[in-house]
Amino acid sequence: MTSRQVRGRNVGRPTLEEVAARAGVGRGTVSRVINGSPRVSEQTRQAVEAAVAELGYVPNTAARALAANRNDAIALVVPEPERRFFAEPYFSEIVHGVGVALAETEIQLLLTFAGGDRQRQRLAHYLAAQRVDGVLLVSVHADDPLPDMLASLDLPAVISGRRSADEPLASVDSDNFAGGRAAVRHLIERGRSTIATITGRLDVYGAQRRLDGYREALTEAGRPVEDGLTAIGDFTEEGGRRAMTELLARRPDLDAVFAGSDVTAAGARQVLREAGRRIPDDVALVGFDDSAVARHMDPPLTSVRQPVEEMGQAMTELLLAEISAVADRRPPASRRMDRQQLVLPTRLVTRQSS
Amino acid sequence: MTSRQVRGRNVGRPTLEEVAARAGVGRGTVSRVINGSPRVSEQTRQAVEAAVAELGYVPNTAARALAANRNDAIALVVPEPERRFFAEPYFSEIVHGVGVALAETEIQLLLTFAGGDRQRQRLAHYLAAQRVDGVLLVSVHADDPLPDMLASLDLPAVISGRRSADEPLASVDSDNFAGGRAAVRHLIERGRSTIATITGRLDVYGAQRRLDGYREALTEAGRPVEDGLTAIGDFTEEGGRRAMTELLARRPDLDAVFAGSDVTAAGARQVLREAGRRIPDDVALVGFDDSAVARHMDPPLTSVRQPVEEMGQAMTELLLAEISAVADRRPPASRRMDRQQLVLPTRLVTRQSS
DNA sequence: ATCACCGGTGGGAGCGCTCCCACCGTACCT
DNA sequence: AGGTACGGTGGGAGCGCTCCCACCGGTGAT
């Protein structure tokens, strides 16, 4: 571990003590004003605020973090390589939702990637070193050790997309099951007879639930669930292409595809077009996410809308609540008690592809 | 400023002192081992490392930051709303390049947005509060106060895309001028006679330089530069549509368009298609960035490739160098001296759109 | 008049680390 | 033998803040 040495005293920046001297009060009083304590007289408060303004004082957060164990920062951890992150509009909306929830606070959002092993390890260090008050986790696979690590650090955390039916962490998820079911019900209503599906990786709980919804819709309509009509993808465009190629080879008679994500649907569409199938005439296509991709596809893609932005917002609110619980020294057991599992509704948006 | 109180002592996590006791050495020695100082005997080092491993010790960065004024973290600041950030593949590649450059270090990358005023202010606080060792700035407009703020904080910073010919900050840029010129030379070679261009906002230096390249190519070919053939866009798809509509109204006879970015080109293509112009038969189209958008467009888009990932990497290297310069207490004047202005070459990638 | 109380305040202690000075012993010189 | 040098080490001081206890003076009850 060869580590650069960044030294150099904090030159020029005013300290609490200097503000106190300037305002003619004690250190404690300035601290109280800075932190908005009510136990300060109006007059004193104004004197301190004037001194703060004159000196351009900004509290040193390292010192604050050390003394108070508070960081005023939360991390959004993405256990994916950067490329995936940017490729999927899902993340963009999550981030925006988080931003909305944070707008009224003084809390800074930090985005960190943990794609590779190296990055993963660095992140683990970073978190263990107490640099954030809480963690937002998105797109976590079932076998990821990260959540357990967070639990052992007793660091507040909220996960997007439960990893299983009994998620120990607080979580926010969309109703993937109902979404998948709605998509397939819709295809049935449109008179499609041979409905295939391209899933995400099935160790992702949401992907599994969408598949469950697909099956449920078929079953409740009295139709068989045929294995040959299910292809496993991975929510990427490339995966969509691969899966669609497989499906077409196995079941050239298919006339509808429910894709586990819009991006997957884009990949599938390419293959369908190359195979000379018209959409929706020959094959109806439904995606999931209702992202920009869906709107710009040709023809525009029917898709299941997840309230992604709201999910980001909800996650943040849960996290802030848990952070205050820690701050109020509520015992871990009690905090574990009311960890919420939020499930937000999905909605089918019909367009020309089906 | 109502601020949550996050208290609760750092329970359970071992400290330097505990490691020292365990290893039977002094605090200083443990610190030396942790920081990779060579002035420790092999035997002692091993004893300390064993103690660190047994206790699962991780240095508290808040304490380190306070004592040493070192954060082992840099921020990538994006003065744009989140949506823009994700919409443009440019950023994704920058982030990836930064990741590559950081791979061998212990430095954590933090992504921060500063789109709105509120976010902007929070970021200013965050930076002033000394939470990072340096800042990477991307996509900065000429009138943005952020760079000056950084300068006044004496915080190492590197900017991507100079703001003007005499950029005071260290910067990394691609050769926008040569790129624009190459694009237009290519269109001329292809026998196009009426070549229009859609620029970005001209207060973005790079956009201006691309336009300069466009003009240069025309001039050196002995052709006039006609104002009616230039439309100002803003590097967005919507802007591309708007600009293309304008151009078509003004000069229905145009037979080629050089768009300032791929995304802009995508907008332009839509309008051209709606107007019944075939690409490349009626109108040749060239973009800039050579992003995924270019490859997936129909027809695939000829585009000027910027080495974006390399830019991210180069920026990071410059920043790390400047950070060590600060660490070595080199005086500000001397550091200003050798702030580099890197310009990386661009390359035309021809595809079916031209 | 005495006391308890309470809003408001000052400042000591301490968070966990780095920096640096003082000190140890050994090796090598004169 | 004494001196110098130097790799290796311990621990005090201090980074800038928060927390909390002690203390101040004024108010109202007894």
Side-chain angles (χ1 to χ4, degrees):
Chain A
M1 171 145 100
T2 322
S3 169
R4 306 146 314 109
Q5 299 289 323
V6 178
R7 291 175 237 89
R9 282 292 133 212
N10 170 14
V11 274
R13 297 236 218 323
T15 71
L16 241 205
E17 199 110 27
E18 285 163 36
V19 174
R22 176 93 174 208
V25 298
R27 237 173 44 250
T29 303
V30 176
S31 176
R32 253 158 278 168
V33 172
I34 299 288
N35 293 293
S37 155
R39 317 172 64 74
V40 184
S41 74
E42 191 48 35
Q43 196 183 353
T44 314
R45 152 165 293 115
Q46 285 180 11
V48 171
E49 277 166 356
V52 165
E54 285 166 32
L55 264 40
Y57 171 75
V58 175
N60 178 320
T61 27
R64 170 176 289 174
L66 181 58
N69 230 53
R70 153 153 69 105
N71 285 288
D72 288 343
I74 62 174
L76 176 65
V77 172
V78 185
E80 302 270 358
E82 298 92 347
R83 297 213 190 278
R84 275 279 314 265
F85 179 74
F86 289 98
E88 288 173 44
Y90 177 83
F91 294 117
S92 143
E93 292 191 45
I94 286 275
V95 172
H96 192 253
V98 174
V100 169
L102 250 30
E104 291 308 303
T105 71
E106 294 293 320
I107 298 170
Q108 177 76 31
L109 173 66
L110 309 177
L111 232 75
T112 57
F113 298 97
D117 275 354
R118 174 96 200 183
Q119 284 189 20
R120 182 64 68 99
Q121 201 181 330
R122 199 160 53 210
L123 176 70
H125 256 78
Y126 187 81
L127 297 179
Q130 318 243 40
R131 302 202 53 152
V132 291
D133 299 328
V135 172
L136 257 21
L137 272 167
V138 294
S139 176
V140 179
H141 294 265
D143 57 349
D144 197 309
L146 215 51
D148 292 337
M149 197 201 80
L150 291 175
S152 78
L153 285 173
D154 195 33
L155 193 62
V158 177
I159 198 167
S160 98
R162 300 192 268 187
R163 291 164 298 161
S164 69
D166 52 338
E167 173 62 59
L169 256 40
S171 76
V172 173
D173 209 342
S174 68
D175 196 339
N176 290 299
F177 177 78
R181 194 180 51 193
V184 177
R185 277 180 182 170
H186 164 78
L187 289 169
I188 292 172
E189 276 167 23
R190 286 282 207 259
R192 302 293 165 160
S193 59
T194 313
I195 304 174
T197 187
I198 302 175
T199 72
R201 286 178 46 181
L202 293 182
D203 60 343
V204 177
Y205 183 69
Q208 176 65 53
R209 292 299 287 159
R210 288 174 198 180
L211 175 58
D212 292 347
Y214 160 85
R215 289 175 173 157
E216 168 69 12
L218 290 177
T219 306
E220 72 183 14
R223 303 194 183 185
V225 176
E226 302 173 60
D227 280 355
L229 287 171
T230 297
I232 314 286
D234 55 5
F235 285 163
T236 68
E237 192 171 341
E238 170 55 27
R241 277 194 293 267
R242 224 173 23 236
M244 195 64 240
T245 308
E246 263 177 48
L247 284 173
L248 234 31
R250 273 207 301 264
R251 297 294 301 260
D253 61 318
L254 61 81
D255 64 0
V257 177
F258 164 49
S261 81
D262 288 348
V263 177
T264 303
R269 190 215 52 176
Q270 248 180 279
V271 172
L272 285 170
R273 187 162 282 175
E274 282 161 15
R277 312 284 178 119
R278 286 165 307 164
I279 298 171
D281 310 58
D282 301 328
V283 177
L285 190 57
V286 176
F288 208 112
D289 290 346
D290 189 35
S291 59
V293 175
R295 286 189 295 280
H296 290 121
M297 210 180 280
D298 174 30
L301 182 72
T302 294
S303 187
V304 178
R305 168 161 162 67
Q306 300 189 76
V308 181
E309 187 180 320
E310 289 87 329
M311 287 169 67
Q313 208 172 330
M315 286 176 73
T316 311
E317 281 155 12
L318 288 188
L319 185 64
L320 294 185
E322 209 168 327
I323 289 173
S324 346
V326 172
D328 297 343
R329 301 178 200 256
R330 300 240 324 264
S334 138
R335 282 186 273 126
R336 257 193 299 280
M337 261 355 309
D338 47 57
R339 265 186 203 147
Q340 292 192 48
Q341 309 290 333
L342 233 55
V343 176
L344 271 37
T346 49
R347 199 184 84 232
L348 187 74
V349 179
T350 42
R351 297 204 183 80
Q352 285 87 303
S353 73
S354 67
Chain B
M1 171 145 101
T2 321
S3 169
R4 305 146 314 108
Q5 298 290 320
V6 179
R7 291 175 237 88
R9 282 291 134 213
N10 171 14
V11 275
R13 298 238 216 322
T15 72
L16 242 205
E17 199 111 25
E18 285 163 37
V19 174
R22 176 93 173 209
V25 299
R27 237 174 43 249
T29 303
V30 176
S31 176
R32 253 159 277 167
V33 172
I34 298 288
N35 293 292
S37 156
R39 318 173 64 76
V40 183
S41 73
E42 191 48 36
Q43 197 183 353
T44 315
R45 152 166 294 114
Q46 285 180 11
V48 171
E49 276 167 357
V52 166
E54 284 165 34
L55 263 40
Y57 171 74
V58 174
N60 178 319
T61 27
R64 171 176 286 173
L66 181 58
N69 229 53
R70 154 153 69 106
N71 286 289
D72 289 341
I74 62 174
L76 175 65
V77 172
V78 185
E80 302 270 357
E82 298 91 348
R83 297 214 191 274
R84 274 282 311 269
F85 180 74
F86 289 99
E88 287 174 44
Y90 177 84
F91 294 117
S92 144
E93 291 191 45
I94 287 276
V95 173
H96 192 253
V98 174
V100 169
L102 249 31
E104 291 307 304
T105 71
E106 294 294 319
I107 297 171
Q108 176 76 32
L109 173 66
L110 310 177
L111 232 75
T112 56
F113 298 98
D117 275 354
R118 175 97 200 183
Q119 285 189 19
R120 183 63 68 98
Q121 202 182 328
R122 199 159 53 210
L123 176 69
H125 256 80
Y126 187 82
L127 297 179
Q130 319 243 41
R131 303 203 53 153
V132 291
D133 299 328
V135 172
L136 256 22
L137 272 168
V138 294
S139 177
V140 179
H141 293 265
D143 57 350
D144 197 310
L146 214 51
D148 292 336
M149 198 201 79
L150 292 174
S152 78
L153 285 173
D154 196 33
L155 193 62
V158 177
I159 198 167
S160 96
R162 302 193 266 185
R163 291 165 298 160
S164 69
D166 52 338
E167 172 63 58
L169 256 42
S171 76
V172 173
D173 209 341
S174 68
D175 197 338
N176 291 298
F177 177 77
R181 194 179 51 192
V184 177
R185 277 181 182 168
H186 163 77
L187 288 169
I188 292 173
E189 276 167 24
R190 286 283 206 260
R192 302 292 165 161
S193 59
T194 311
I195 305 173
T197 188
I198 302 176
T199 71
R201 285 179 45 181
L202 293 182
D203 60 342
V204 177
Y205 184 68
Q208 177 64 53
R209 292 300 286 161
R210 290 173 197 179
L211 176 58
D212 292 347
Y214 161 85
R215 288 176 173 158
E216 169 69 16
L218 290 178
T219 304
E220 72 184 15
R223 301 195 183 186
V225 176
E226 302 173 61
D227 280 355
L229 287 171
T230 299
I232 314 288
D234 55 5
F235 286 163
T236 67
E237 192 171 341
E238 171 55 26
R241 277 195 293 269
R242 224 175 21 235
M244 194 66 240
T245 309
E246 261 177 50
L247 283 173
L248 234 31
R250 272 207 301 262
R251 296 294 302 261
D253 60 320
L254 60 81
D255 63 2
V257 177
F258 164 48
S261 82
D262 288 348
V263 177
T264 303
R269 190 214 51 176
Q270 247 179 282
V271 171
L272 284 170
R273 187 162 281 174
E274 281 162 14
R277 313 285 178 117
R278 288 165 306 165
I279 298 171
D281 311 57
D282 302 327
V283 177
L285 190 57
V286 176
F288 209 111
D289 290 344
D290 188 36
S291 58
V293 175
R295 288 187 294 280
H296 289 120
M297 211 181 277
D298 174 30
L301 182 71
T302 294
S303 186
V304 178
R305 169 161 161 68
Q306 300 189 77
V308 182
E309 186 180 319
E310 289 87 331
M311 286 170 66
Q313 206 171 332
M315 285 177 74
T316 312
E317 282 155 12
L318 287 189
L319 184 64
L320 294 185
E322 210 169 327
I323 290 173
S324 345
V326 172
D328 297 343
R329 300 178 202 256
R330 300 240 325 267
S334 138
R335 283 187 272 125
R336 256 193 300 278
M337 262 357 304
D338 48 57
R339 263 183 205 152
Q340 292 191 48
Q341 309 291 332
L342 234 55
V343 176
L344 271 39
T346 48
R347 200 183 83 232
L348 187 74
V349 179
T350 42
R351 297 203 182 80
Q352 285 87 303
S353 74
S354 66

